């Protein structure tokens, strides 16, 4: 057993002990951190492993939360049914949404997902959806009671449930990373053209990564609905999506355990800063993102390279290669991949 | 028929705003190959500049002019001092940078002017022409048309405009013929930012001013830019106007939910264009990144 | 020494690869010099370094100027103009606008308009095509446009990167005829990178041979044409 595995096991044990050491509101906060960490881990797969960037994962988070609420309130099914429903739905929706944008330059995916993030609250507030979404007022979500008569408080039980999902989904992410599919995703990240030449179905793996990351966000959304016991459109503004990106950048794009750091950052820092003034937190986040991009020479992609060294590849993208064909036909604006 | 004309005109007026913002997005996209996600927030900030001028007792026109100048200088400096440093960096770096700028501007506006909704005066006054269109909307149309025309003359007829088109067409050759690419790129940011200011000031009397004012404008504007092809200034204008008109007519003719559907429609248009014809109406062929 | 170009120990590296490993060359005012060598020897890199597009180290002087510390626009203003590899057409703009851009570093006056007319006299086909999108011109026309565009800045030294690349023999001949007459009437110095050595040797005064980032041979065009080894390697006979 090497040091890495050992420290992960110690971290895991420490995480399990949290609700027995901390009390009340702190347990709730720890739960929120873990929930964000799950969503951020989805982005780790998308951005870290596959090199895509998406700005709208708050939408999938919202979708998961609402599907959990609908499972409980409308269909009156037990809460554990909500997870597979939301997971599958988010995966499928993510897969379908990503498909058109993935054929194009990354900037189009960023654009499409940006509008997705902005459009979430207005869609949730649509009056004809009110019977299922609760419209502007939002809707209450009954919390599941502690099972098997375990001697756990409600908040301790919710924390442990959330943590269970974190462990499961961390395992899934790790398994993905070392699988054939994971290697295909990384090959695409490093050099899409070479990946295609090697016979990798680029579009399939890119949409797969997108769908998977949507699934992670959806599960996080489910948990958040259960923990907060209330959802409304205004809990899922554009800023939720942005905070997930903040967490991703802070935790490191391609390092799964970093998701916990990212989650802790977006939950705890506002608490510290907002004691002075609420909007200060946003300014601080914004400034932090910009400063990080300026001082890490290659920005977020530099982080990826730090944790997953690039395979040596023929195309050094740091400089524009002198053209060899000599012809330059009708213009193409929008620069080729760098 | 009267209803149609009324909503068509009103859609055209709003479309003019979308056209301005779409154009400012396209200008930056052509210059650096990235979409400025903070474009809307920059425009809102410009509107707050004008608002502050009015609070300090400046005449309307002076406040507006001051905001334009500040926005121009601000856009110029933003490129020279910050975005210059990441030029050529990966898409991800740019996106995160723009999102950071978005947050920074949005929260700072809340910090300085608080988040309450503020009314913003129209320079064109209240009133309607023949029950069809308000003075303010006529003013909006006139100003956006004037701004777009002036910009097109600038690009087509002046040497600086020619140089800027040269940079967009072939950045390296632009250097070779002695164009100061760095200076002109920043100039493009300045113009783009001033254009956003015009849009913000014109839309504020209708939607009222708060830090989130442009969130409802930026998505339709992106839709306009994508519809037009993302690389074509003319396309951005046509796209913006089209989105404005579609949105207004659906609001008028689809009972009950028409107005609520604004953003979802804009989003649907973006997705449809990407599926059906990614290069939009007038865009250059898109380089496929596999 | 006037406006001589003196390259002394110029180096260029991209990342780990050392493309130019200390080359030294001289180009006297009024001379036409050609730089020969196989693909990948560093010919294009040399021209890019001289015009400020690529960072180079060492010492390069042009008259009294130290070129390696100058930006591309300053180098252009000092009288050096590059006709780049692949022609560098402003493809979405018209032929006329391409020429206007060529002169954009100069004052807008009558001399500029006269120069446009002069270019149309050298290259009548460009006048016929002046309103057309430059990207739609044929390869030969685009090459002529590239030369004319470079001349619009009134250079004293013209750098040409493989002007014959991808052109039909008849067009190449026509192009070099025009280059000859430009040299005669305007007294411009030229540094020409070519693959088509046989052709350029009839035109050049002297030649250098670059191999793997180093100058391996130099001499007058006559000497070179009589050298067996060169004939084999570069003149294809």
């Amino acid at each position: 057993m090497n040091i890495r595995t050992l420290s992960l096991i110690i971290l895991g044990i420490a995480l399990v002990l949290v609700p027995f050491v901390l009390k009340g509101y702190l347990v709730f906060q720890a739960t929120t951190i873990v929930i964000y960490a799950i969503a951020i881990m989805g982005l780790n797969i998308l951005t870290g492993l596959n090199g895509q960037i998406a700005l709208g994962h708050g939408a999938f988070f919202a979708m998961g939360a609402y599907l959990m609420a609908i499972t409980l309130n409308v269909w009156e099914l037990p809460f554990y049914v909500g997870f597979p429903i939301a997971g599958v739905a988010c995966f499928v929706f993510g897969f379908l949404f990503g498909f058109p944008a993935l054929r194009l330059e990354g900037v189009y995916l960023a654009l499409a997902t940006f509008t997705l993030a902005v459009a979430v609250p207005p869609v949730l507030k649509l009056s004809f959806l009110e019977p299922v979404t609760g419209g502007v007022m939002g809707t209450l979500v009954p919390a599941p009671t502690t099972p098997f008569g375990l001697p756990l408080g409600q908040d301790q039980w919710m924390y442990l449930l959330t943590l269970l999902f974190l462990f499961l989904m961390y395992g899934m992410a790790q398994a993905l990373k070392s699988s054939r599919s994971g290697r295909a995703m990384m090959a695409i990240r490093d050099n899409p053209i070479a990946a295609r030449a090697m016979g990798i179905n680029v579009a399939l793996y890119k949409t797969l990564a997108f769908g998977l990351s949507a699934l992670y966000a959806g599960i996080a959304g489910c948990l958040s609905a259960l923990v907060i016991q209330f959802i409304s459109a205004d809990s899922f503004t554009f800023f939720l999506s942005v905070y997930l990106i903040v967490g991703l950048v802070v935790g490191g794009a391609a390092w799964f355990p970093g998701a916990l750091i990212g989650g802790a950052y977006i939950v705890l820092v506002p608490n510290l800063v907002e004691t002075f003034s609420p909007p200060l937190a946003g300014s601080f986040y914004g400034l932090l993102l910009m400063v990080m991009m300026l001082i890490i020479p290659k920005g977020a992609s530099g982080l990826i390279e730090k944790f997953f060294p690039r395979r040596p590849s023929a195309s050094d993208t740091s400089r524009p290669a002198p053209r060899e064909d000599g012809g330059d036909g009708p213009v193409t604006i929008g620069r080729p991949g760098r | 028929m009267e209803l149609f004309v009324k909503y068509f005109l009103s859609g055209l007026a709003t479309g003019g705003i979308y056209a301005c913002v779409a154009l400012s997005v396209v200008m930056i996209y052509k210059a650096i190959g990235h979409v400025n996600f903070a474009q809307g927030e920059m425009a809102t900030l410009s509107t707050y500049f004008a608002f502050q001028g009015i609070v300090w007792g400046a005449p309307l026109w002076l406040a507006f002019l001051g905001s334009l100048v500040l926005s121009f200088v601000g856009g110029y400096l933003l490129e020279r001092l910050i975005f210059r440093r990441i030029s050529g960096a990966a898409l991800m770096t740019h996106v995160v940078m723009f999102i950071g700028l978005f947050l920074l501007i949005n929260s700072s506006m809340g910090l300085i002017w608080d988040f309450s909704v503020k009314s913003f005066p129209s320079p064109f006054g209240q009133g309607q022409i023949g029950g069809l269109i308000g003075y303010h909307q006529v003013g909006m149309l006139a100003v956006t048309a004037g701004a777009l025309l002036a910009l097109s003359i600038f690009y087509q007829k002046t040497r600086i405009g020619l140089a800027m088109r040269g940079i967009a067409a072939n950045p390296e050759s632009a250097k070779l013929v002695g164009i100061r690419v760095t200076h002109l790129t920043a100039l493009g940011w300045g113009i783009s930012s001033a254009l956003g200011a015009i849009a913000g000031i014109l839309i504020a009397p209708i939607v009222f001013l708060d830090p989130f004012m442009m969130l409802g404008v930026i998505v339709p504007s992106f839709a306009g830019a994508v519809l037009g092809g993302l690389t074509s200034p003319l396309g951005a204008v046509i796209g913006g106007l089209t989105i404005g008109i579609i949105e207004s007519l659906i609001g008028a003719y689809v009972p009950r939910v028409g107005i609520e559907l604004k953003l979802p429609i804009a989003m649907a248009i973006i997705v449809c264009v990407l599926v059906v014809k990614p290069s939009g109406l007038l865009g250059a062929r898109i380089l496929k990144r596999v | 020494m006037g406006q001589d170009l003196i390259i002394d120990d110029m180096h260029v590296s991209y990342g780990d690869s050392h493309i130019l490993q200390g080359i030294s060359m001289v180009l006297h005012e009024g001379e036409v010099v050609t730089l020969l060598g196989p693909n990948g020897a560093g010919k294009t890199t040399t021209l890019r370094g001289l015009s400020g597009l690529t960072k180079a180290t060492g010492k390069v002087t042009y008259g009294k100027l130290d070129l390696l510390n100058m930006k591309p626009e300053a180098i252009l203003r000092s009288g050096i103009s590059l006709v780049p590899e692949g022609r560098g057409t402003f493809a979405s703009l018209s032929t006329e606008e391409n020429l206007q851009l060529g002169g954009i570093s100069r004052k807008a006056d009558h001399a500029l308009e006269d120069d446009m007319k002069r270019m149309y006299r050298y290259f009548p086909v460009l006048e016929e095509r002046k309103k057309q999108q430059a990207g739609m011109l044929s390869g030969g026309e685009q090459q002529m446009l590239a030369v004319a565009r470079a001349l619009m800045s009134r250079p004293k030294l013209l750098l040409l990167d493989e002007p014959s690349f991808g052109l039909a023999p008849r067009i190449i001949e026509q192009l070099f005829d025009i280059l000859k007459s430009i040299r005669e009437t305007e007294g411009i110095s030229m540094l020409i990178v070519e693959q088509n050595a046989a052709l350029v040797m009839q035109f050049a005064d002297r030649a250098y041979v670059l191999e793997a980032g180093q100058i391996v041979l130099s001499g007058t065009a006559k000497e070179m044409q009589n050298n067996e080894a060169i004939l084999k390697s570069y003149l294809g006979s």
Side-chain angles (χ1 to χ4, degrees):
Chain A
M1 185 183 296
N2 59 25
I3 296 180
R4 217 181 94 89
T5 329
L6 192 68
S7 45
L8 276 177
I9 289 174
I10 293 173
L11 175 69
I13 294 172
L15 283 173
V16 173
L17 293 178
V18 162
F20 306 104
V21 180
L22 300 178
K23 289 275 170 288
Y25 186 67
L26 290 178
V27 176
F28 172 78
Q29 279 209 325
T31 316
T32 322
I33 290 173
V34 176
I35 290 173
Y36 281 133
I38 293 173
I40 292 170
M41 229 185 312
L43 292 179
N44 283 148
I45 293 176
L46 184 70
T47 308
L49 284 194
N50 201 213
Q52 306 186 62
I53 186 140
L55 300 174
H57 274 51
F60 300 109
F61 196 97
M63 199 169 153
Y66 272 89
L67 283 172
M68 178 54 89
I70 291 166
T71 306
L72 293 170
N73 293 337
V74 181
W75 299 326
E76 296 180 350
L77 292 167
F79 78 93
Y80 48 79
V81 184
F83 292 107
I85 291 178
V88 169
C90 285
F91 178 81
V92 171
F93 188 68
F95 195 88
L96 293 179
F97 186 88
F99 199 69
L102 294 175
R103 296 172 25 230
L104 302 161
E105 276 187 282
V107 66
Y108 283 88
L109 184 64
L111 227 161
T113 52
F114 176 90
T115 59
L116 182 66
V118 176
V120 171
V123 169
L124 291 173
K125 286 177 189 167
L126 285 176
S127 48
F128 64 86
L129 289 178
E130 206 167 313
V132 280
T133 61
V136 184
M137 299 301 295
T139 181
L140 288 170
V141 181
T145 48
T146 315
F148 319 123
L150 289 172
L152 292 171
Q154 172 70 24
D155 50 355
Q156 287 171 321
W157 152 235
M158 283 319 303
Y159 174 86
L160 290 173
L161 178 70
T162 306
L163 194 63
L164 177 68
F165 271 99
L166 179 80
F167 289 159
L168 282 176
M169 300 190 80
Y170 172 73
M172 204 167 105
Q174 279 298 352
L176 175 74
K177 199 179 114 189
S178 45
S179 72
R180 254 178 64 101
S181 305
R183 283 197 299 274
M185 284 176 188
M186 286 186 274
I188 292 167
R189 175 197 71 199
D190 292 344
N191 189 336
I193 295 165
R196 167 168 289 179
M198 276 156 29
I200 294 172
N201 187 336
V202 174
L204 175 74
Y205 282 107
K206 283 174 90 171
T207 27
L208 201 65
F210 197 88
L212 272 177
S213 69
L215 179 145
Y216 273 68
I219 296 291
C222 286
L223 290 162
S224 137
L226 291 178
V227 169
I228 300 175
Q229 298 172 29
F230 172 74
I231 51 172
S232 77
D234 292 324
S235 335
F236 306 104
T237 60
F238 173 66
F239 290 90
L240 173 61
S241 298
V242 171
Y243 289 159
L244 294 179
I245 300 278
V246 174
L248 174 76
V249 173
V250 169
W255 186 50
F256 296 131
L260 267 175
I261 300 172
Y265 183 85
I266 56 181
V267 172
L268 298 180
V269 169
N271 283 2
L272 293 175
V273 183
E274 278 177 7
T275 45
F276 301 105
S277 162
L280 208 57
S283 306
F284 187 76
Y285 279 161
L287 209 58
L288 178 102
L289 284 182
M290 295 178 75
V291 168
M292 280 190 75
M293 289 303 104
L294 285 175
I295 57 179
I296 303 169
K298 277 184 162 175
S301 57
L303 286 177
I304 297 176
E305 276 167 45
K306 196 167 163 198
F307 292 110
F308 292 87
R310 260 169 191 272
R311 293 115 197 263
S313 65
S315 75
D316 170 31
T317 48
S318 61
R319 72 184 165 93
R323 304 189 45 159
E324 286 177 356
D325 56 21
D328 44 5
V331 240
T332 41
I333 298 163
R335 305 176 174 180
R338 313 166 171 246
Chain B
M1 190 60 207
E2 198 185 300
L3 188 75
F4 178 84
V5 173
K6 186 178 151 88
Y7 281 98
F8 184 87
L9 287 176
S10 131
L12 201 62
T14 319
I17 302 292
Y18 298 161
C20 283
V21 180
L23 188 58
S24 61
V25 169
V26 166
M27 284 178 66
I28 291 195
Y29 183 75
K30 283 188 71 141
I32 65 170
H34 295 282
V35 170
N36 178 1
F37 290 103
Q39 198 82 53
E41 301 312 293
M42 284 165 62
T44 313
L45 183 62
S46 303
T47 316
Y48 272 110
F49 289 160
F51 174 82
Q52 193 59 50
I54 296 166
V55 169
W56 283 336
L60 279 189
W61 64 269
L62 187 64
F64 295 164
L65 196 70
S67 159
L68 277 193
V69 172
L70 264 180
S71 307
F72 178 84
V73 174
Y76 186 92
L77 291 180
L78 195 60
E79 201 281 336
R80 292 228 77 155
L81 300 180
I82 297 178
F83 282 87
R84 165 73 36 86
R85 289 165 200 277
I86 59 163
S87 75
L91 170 71
M92 214 174 311
T93 309
H94 275 92
V95 171
V96 174
M97 197 76 175
F98 282 123
I99 292 298
L101 184 64
F102 184 110
L103 274 178
L104 179 64
I105 297 180
N106 183 283
S107 305
S108 303
M109 290 188 298
L111 209 58
I112 300 170
W113 289 284
D114 73 58
F115 286 93
S116 67
V117 176
K118 297 177 167 64
S119 69
F120 192 87
S122 162
F124 309 109
Q126 305 277 317
Q128 296 251 316
I129 297 173
L132 276 179
I133 184 168
Y135 289 160
H136 182 73
Q137 284 172 322
V138 175
M140 265 161 77
L141 266 175
V143 173
T144 48
L148 297 176
L149 194 68
L151 207 58
S152 133
I153 291 172
F154 169 76
Y155 274 109
Q156 297 299 326
K157 303 287 177 197
T158 69
R159 295 184 97 210
I160 298 181
L162 176 65
M164 289 172 88
R165 284 191 292 140
I167 295 172
N170 193 329
E172 189 162 288
S173 290
K175 278 189 201 160
L176 283 179
V177 298
I179 295 171
R180 287 162 64 203
V181 175
T182 50
H183 169 68
L184 288 192
T185 305
L187 195 68
W189 276 65
I191 296 173
S192 158
S193 164
L195 201 59
I198 294 176
I201 289 169
L202 287 174
I203 197 81
I206 298 176
V207 299
F208 300 110
L209 178 59
D210 73 37
F212 304 98
M213 177 179 85
M214 280 306 222
L215 266 189
V217 173
I218 192 74
V219 172
S221 302
F222 278 154
V226 169
L227 183 61
L230 208 50
T231 53
S232 156
L234 179 64
V237 172
I238 294 173
L241 292 173
T242 311
I243 302 286
I245 292 165
I246 291 178
E247 185 188 280
S248 175
L249 291 180
I250 290 184
Y253 288 104
V254 179
R256 241 164 52 89
V257 297
I259 294 174
E260 294 177 337
L261 283 174
K262 274 187 182 183
L263 284 185
I265 287 171
M267 199 178 81
I269 290 175
I270 290 181
V271 174
C272 286
V273 172
L274 294 187
V275 173
V276 178
K277 191 168 186 294
S279 60
L281 297 172
L282 295 171
R285 183 172 61 86
I286 292 167
L287 283 182
K288 210 171 149 182
R289 272 185 80 183
V290 187
Chain C
M1 66 176 232
Q3 291 286 71
D4 293 352
L5 177 75
I6 300 166
I7 304 173
D8 185 16
D9 196 30
M10 177 162 129
H11 291 258
V12 173
S13 297
Y14 290 131
D16 294 336
S17 51
H18 198 172
I19 310 271
L20 284 190
Q21 305 171 356
I23 62 163
S24 298
M25 290 168 66
V26 177
L27 196 152
H28 301 291
E29 189 174 352
E31 259 188 325
V32 172
V33 170
T34 177
L35 183 58
L36 306 170
N39 271 331
K43 306 186 298 288
T44 294
T45 305
T46 306
L47 295 192
R48 288 177 64 87
L50 292 178
S51 49
L53 291 177
T54 295
K55 186 85 200 120
T57 55
K59 188 154 181 65
V60 176
T61 50
Y62 181 60
K64 291 194 182 77
L65 297 170
D66 176 9
L67 289 190
L68 296 189
N69 293 319
M70 288 162 68
K71 290 185 169 176
E73 63 255 31
I75 292 176
L76 181 93
R77 283 182 176 80
S78 78
I80 300 179
S81 192
L82 170 67
V83 179
E85 182 185 39
R87 298 154 200 152
T89 315
F90 295 102
S92 58
L93 307 187
S94 72
T95 302
E96 192 177 27
E97 287 171 331
N98 269 263
L99 288 181
Q100 286 168 346
L101 278 171
I104 198 126
S105 59
R106 294 168 50 190
K107 242 182 30 217
D109 54 16
H110 284 296
L112 193 65
E113 282 168 37
D114 289 347
D115 278 359
M116 293 271 286
K117 287 184 194 133
R118 210 155 44 87
M119 290 309 136
Y120 289 141
R121 274 202 302 279
Y122 284 129
F123 305 101
V125 63
L126 295 182
E127 184 159 29
E128 290 165 31
R129 304 249 187 276
K130 72 179 182 186
K131 295 293 174 196
Q132 272 185 33
Q133 219 186 29
M136 298 302 179
L137 302 186
S138 73
E141 289 163 349
Q142 287 196 34
Q143 189 63 60
M144 291 178 188
L145 178 59
V147 172
R149 190 186 66 216
L151 289 173
M152 284 298 292
S153 65
R154 288 247 172 127
K156 294 188 224 64
L157 166 59
L158 195 61
L159 311 174
L160 293 121
D161 197 343
E162 294 209 32
S164 73
F165 187 89
L167 302 185
R170 195 176 49 82
I171 307 283
I172 298 176
E173 216 170 286
Q174 201 185 339
L175 182 71
F176 272 85
D177 282 346
I178 299 175
L179 285 177
K180 257 177 223 163
S181 78
I182 289 171
R183 182 195 184 184
E184 280 155 19
T185 42
E186 324 237 341
I188 295 178
S189 325
M190 298 184 189
L191 175 57
I192 308 177
V193 158
E194 258 297 347
Q195 292 273 330
N196 193 338
L199 177 86
V200 73
M201 287 298 235
Q202 299 166 12
F203 176 37
D205 302 318
R206 288 189 303 121
Y208 287 88
V209 177
L210 187 65
E211 248 177 50
Q214 288 170 327
I215 299 284
V216 292
L217 268 176
S218 65
T220 64
K222 281 218 175 65
E223 286 166 9
M224 300 287 252
Q225 274 169 314
N226 295 330
N227 182 323
E228 283 292 326
I230 300 172
L231 281 174
K232 273 221 173 79
S233 321
Y234 302 109
L235 303 185
S237 52

